């Protein structure tokens, strides 16, 4: 079964996951398959969880009420585990996404994997190693959020929203040395944005719409239509050479924003998106012998 056909159950421990991560969470899950269950567990009578109501409506999540009967006992965890096993035995899913930074789900993750399930764990960097390694895949929420777009209050799906999503899909496939077909892009865009329709942008075909986006090219490969990123006139090698030259003059160390300004001063048309990145820091960090720490760039060696 291809990843795009996987049916996933998303179970959220609301007491350990912030609502600020929801957009990047569901963007990431869309790369693995389609969500058939979306449930969030918590004591919704608690004022601490007051911000979740909007999230339930926006992402069509079913809230599961779990009262805290005993001080110090986490009944939410128990409810999630029971539901996970019920869903497993229903035979209606191919995998689970467990959203929590709590080590109490370690055994659950292991049991689901024993049953042949894909188990995607997501939590903050404080998540203990035992839970992380029990999952098939584990994603740090801070990294997903940094790699994605900034949260927006505007509900309108702009061309830039779509362009960023398409670039990420292609970049992820490039990292795995896979081609990206237009059909795959259409499927993943629909998973990420339920209201996506090319007709909203004046096009009748997805391939024509993709061609209209900056830095995206379409070509035919046998029977498939393939999308790829186009590089600007400024080659990546030229940018990397300039980065090293600037750092050498600064004794191998300088603030990240200052480095970006120096590049833009020499190359006014420089755009990090031309190279498949949404963040300048990630572009620099992927260079050999260069690293970024605390918004400062270092040249090693």
């Amino acid at each position: 079964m291809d990843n795009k056909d996987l049916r996933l159950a998303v179970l959220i421990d609301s007491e350990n996951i912030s609502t600020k991560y929801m957009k990047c969470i569901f963007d990431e899950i869309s790369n693995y398959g389609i969500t058939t269950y979306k449930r969030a567990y918590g004591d919704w009578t608690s004022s601490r969880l007051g911000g979740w109501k909007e999230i339930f409506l926006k992402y069509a999540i079913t809230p599961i009420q779990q009262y805290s009967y005993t001080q110090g006992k986490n009944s939410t965890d128990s409810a999630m585990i029971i539901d996970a096993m019920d869903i497993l035995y229903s035979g209606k899913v191919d995998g689970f996404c467990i959203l929590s930074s709590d080590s109490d789900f370690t055994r659950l993750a292991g049991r689901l994997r024993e049953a042949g399930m894909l188990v995607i764990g997501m939590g903050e960097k404080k998540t203990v190693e035992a839970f992380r390694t029990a999952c098939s895949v584990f994603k740090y929420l801070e990294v997903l959020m940094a790699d994605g777009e900034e949260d927006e209050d505007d509900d309108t799906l702009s061309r830039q929203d779509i362009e960023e999503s398409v670039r990420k899909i292609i970049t992820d496939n490039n990292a795995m040395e896979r081609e990206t077909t237009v059909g795959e892009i259409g499927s993943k865009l629909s998973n990420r944005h339920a209201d996506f329709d090319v007709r909203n942008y004046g096009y009748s075909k997805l391939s024509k719409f993709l061609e209209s986006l900056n830095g995206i090219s379409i070509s035919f490969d046998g029977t498939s239509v393939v999308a790829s990123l186009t590089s600007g006139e400024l080659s990546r090698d030229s940018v990397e050479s300039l980065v090293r030259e600037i750092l050498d003059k600064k004794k191998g160390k300088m603030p990240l924003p200052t480095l970006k300004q120096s590049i833009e001063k020499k190359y006014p048309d420089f755009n990090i998106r031309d190279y498949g990145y949404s963040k300048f820091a990630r572009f620099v960090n992927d260079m050999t012998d260069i690293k970024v720490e605390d918004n400062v760039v270092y040249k090693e060696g």
Side-chain angles (χ1 to χ4, degrees):
M1 180 178 289
D2 195 87
N3 275 358
K4 67 182 180 182
D5 297 319
L6 293 179
R7 300 163 300 174
L8 302 173
V10 180
L11 307 180
I12 306 170
D13 177 6
S14 63
E15 295 176 356
N16 278 290
I17 296 295
S18 170
T19 57
K20 70 182 181 181
Y21 295 121
M22 287 302 113
K23 182 182 185 300
C24 64
I25 283 172
F26 284 103
D27 280 354
E28 182 67 18
I29 291 172
S30 70
N31 291 326
Y32 292 90
I34 300 170
T35 54
T36 55
Y37 293 85
K38 288 187 280 188
R39 297 179 180 178
Y41 300 78
D43 183 357
W44 308 115
T45 63
S46 170
S47 59
R48 291 192 308 109
L49 303 180
W52 278 87
K53 183 178 179 181
E54 225 177 281
I55 298 298
F56 297 151
L57 297 173
K58 185 171 183 178
Y59 294 98
I61 298 170
T62 301
I64 306 297
Q65 172 64 36
Q66 190 62 40
Y67 292 102
S68 300
Y69 296 109
T70 307
Q71 186 71 24
K73 298 292 184 181
N74 197 336
S75 53
T76 296
D77 293 1
S78 300
M80 278 183 64
I81 292 169
I82 292 170
D83 269 12
M85 298 310 294
D86 285 344
I87 294 170
L88 171 65
Y89 292 134
S90 75
K92 295 180 180 179
V93 299
D94 307 296
F96 288 78
C97 183
I98 301 173
L99 305 181
S100 180
S101 301
D102 195 331
S103 62
D104 289 350
F105 297 106
T106 300
R107 183 67 189 101
L108 173 63
R111 177 63 183 85
L112 295 174
R113 289 187 67 183
E114 288 172 2
M117 295 285 107
L118 170 69
V119 180
I120 305 165
M122 294 188 186
E124 295 181 327
K125 290 184 178 181
K126 65 183 180 182
T127 306
V128 297
E129 183 179 7
F131 177 48
R132 300 198 311 264
T133 56
C135 299
S136 310
V137 179
F138 189 88
K139 301 289 184 179
Y140 289 114
L141 295 176
E142 297 95 333
V143 174
L144 291 181
M145 194 168 187
D147 195 38
E149 298 176 328
E150 296 297 324
D151 291 336
E152 296 181 0
D153 295 328
D154 188 359
D155 290 333
T156 303
L157 192 59
S158 68
R159 286 175 63 93
Q160 186 176 356
D161 292 330
I162 298 300
E163 185 177 312
E164 287 294 325
S165 293
V166 171
R167 285 180 177 278
K168 189 172 191 313
I169 292 167
I170 297 174
T171 301
D172 288 347
N173 279 348
N174 287 348
M176 295 184 288
E177 299 183 349
R178 286 178 47 197
E179 288 186 331
T180 305
T181 65
V182 169
E184 179 184 358
I185 290 176
S187 177
K188 288 185 175 179
L189 284 177
S190 295
N191 289 342
R192 291 187 180 194
H193 310 289
D195 57 346
F196 172 71
D197 188 330
V198 293
R199 291 172 294 185
N200 293 338
Y201 308 91
Y203 291 84
S204 59
K205 291 184 177 181
L206 177 59
S207 58
K208 294 296 184 184
F209 172 70
L210 293 176
E211 279 185 317
S212 73
L213 300 179
N214 293 327
I216 308 295
S217 67
I218 302 297
S219 60
F220 293 89
D221 182 13
T223 58
S224 300
V225 184
V226 177
S228 57
L229 299 175
T230 59
S231 58
E233 295 180 2
L234 179 61
S235 71
R236 178 167 182 153
D237 286 343
S238 298
V239 178
E240 291 191 0
S241 295
L242 178 59
V243 168
R244 291 189 172 87
E245 180 184 327
I246 293 171
L247 287 172
D248 284 341
K249 291 180 180 178
K250 297 294 182 179
K251 298 182 179 180
K253 174 184 175 182
M254 71 184 306
L256 182 68
T258 305
L259 175 61
K260 188 171 185 290
Q261 291 170 4
S262 298
I263 295 173
E264 291 171 340
K265 184 176 181 179
K266 183 174 180 64
Y267 298 121
D269 294 331
F270 173 70
N271 188 337
I272 197 63
R273 293 185 177 86
D274 289 340
Y275 310 93
Y277 292 82
S278 60
K279 301 288 184 181
F280 180 62
R282 297 187 70 82
F283 171 84
V284 175
N285 220 26
D286 282 348
M287 292 175 56
T288 305
D289 302 328
I290 305 292
K291 67 177 181 178
V292 180
E293 290 183 356
D294 298 325
N295 223 30
V296 176
V297 185
Y298 299 88
K299 186 173 183 288
E300 301 176 328

